[in-house]
Amino acid sequence: MPMVEIYGKDEMHALFEGDFAFLPRRGDTISKERGGYFDYYTVVEVWHREDGETGRFRACVRVTADD
């Protein structure tokens, strides 16, 4: 199960992280529960970054908010 970092416009700070059954692809929708309702995001970019301390790669996706 890949741990995925979810980014919005600010690529320096993740919006949240999630443990996914599979890596989300461009065009997929991610819904995140926020206190009794859901925020919906569309995946627009997927990449992998290397963690300099461990040398392991982390999956990252950029999303846009859907209203």
Side-chain angles (χ1 to χ4, degrees), residues 27-54:
D28 285 349
T29 299
I30 297 171
S31 60
K32 173 77 171 156
E33 185 177 0
R34 299 279 187 188
Y37 65 96
F38 287 90
D39 287 337
Y40 295 93
Y41 302 95
T42 300
V43 176
V44 294
E45 184 180 5
V46 178
W47 74 95
H48 296 83
R49 69 169 185 83
E50 184 179 14
D51 183 352
E53 294 178 12
T54 64

Side-chain angles (χ1 to χ4, degrees), residues 4-17 34 41 47 49 60-63:
V4 179
E5 296 175 347
I6 311 298
Y7 291 88
K9 291 180 182 178
D10 180 6
E11 61 185 49
M12 297 303 290
H13 297 81
L15 295 172
F16 57 92
E17 291 186 10
R34 299 279 187 188
Y41 302 95
W47 74 95
R49 69 169 185 83
C60 304
V61 300
R62 182 176 325 285
V63 296

